């Protein structure tokens, strides 16, 4: 049974930090990525990591503030978010994906499995 489970969302003040985690089980995969969807906006790719090689991609909106990483032994993906802004408020989704993209980090049409999402709220 395939499972993709996120954790770590919450409420944080602007300028603060938060780390999201995502564990995938029941499958082998090439890459994993993070998306987010703010109220009233389309879902966008945030970051992506090619598991075997460790190749990393970020969207321009988070480059320099967010860091994606992995723990191979635990099949767990992380997203460390720093210097958070109110504009980062969104539901964040982890996904197992077929590949990453140089433009925009990761696209919805590459998603194989979605996680359930975790809410991140940044107060001003």
């Amino acid at each position: 049974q395939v499972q993709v489970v996120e954790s770590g969302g919450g409420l944080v003040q602007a300028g603060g930090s938060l780390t999201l985690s995502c564990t995938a089980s029941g499958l082998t995969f090439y890459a994993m990525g993070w998306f987010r969807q703010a109220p009233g906006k389309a879902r966008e790719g945030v970051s992506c990591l090619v598991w075997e090689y460790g190749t990393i991609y970020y969207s321009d909106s988070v480059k320099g503030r967010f860091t994606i990483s992995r723990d191979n032994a635990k099949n767990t993906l992380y997203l460390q978010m720093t210097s958070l802004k109110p504009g980062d408020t969104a539901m964040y989704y982890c996904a197992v994906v077929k590949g990453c993209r140089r433009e925009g980090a990761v696209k919805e049409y590459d998603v194989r499995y979605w996680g359930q999402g975790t809410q991140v709220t940044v107060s001003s």
Side-chain angles (χ1 to χ4, degrees), residues 32-103:
M32 292 182 72
W34 290 99
F35 294 81
R36 67 184 181 184
Q37 187 168 21
K41 295 189 177 181
R43 187 150 44 190
E44 62 170 342
V46 172
S47 186
C48 190
L49 187 150
V50 178
W51 207 260
E52 180 178 1
Y53 305 110
T55 313
I56 288 172
Y57 301 86
Y58 296 104
S59 68
D60 289 343
S61 59
V62 305
K63 203 173 293 182
R65 299 188 299 121
F66 290 12
T67 301
I68 193 171
S69 62
R70 74 192 190 285
D71 183 324
N72 284 339
K74 297 180 180 179
N75 260 12
T76 298
L77 184 74
Y78 302 98
L79 186 68
Q80 183 181 11
M81 305 182 291
T82 63
S83 302
L84 283 161
K85 308 173 184 178
D88 294 316
T89 295
M91 184 71 79
Y92 282 72
Y93 298 90
C94 175
V96 173
V97 297
K98 293 180 284 186
C100 303
R101 305 284 171 174
R102 282 193 176 85
E103 289 294 326

Side-chain angles (χ1 to χ4, degrees), residues 100-111:
C100 303
R101 305 284 171 174
R102 282 193 176 85
E103 289 294 326
V106 61
K107 301 297 185 184
E108 286 194 67
Y109 50 73
D110 283 325
V111 172

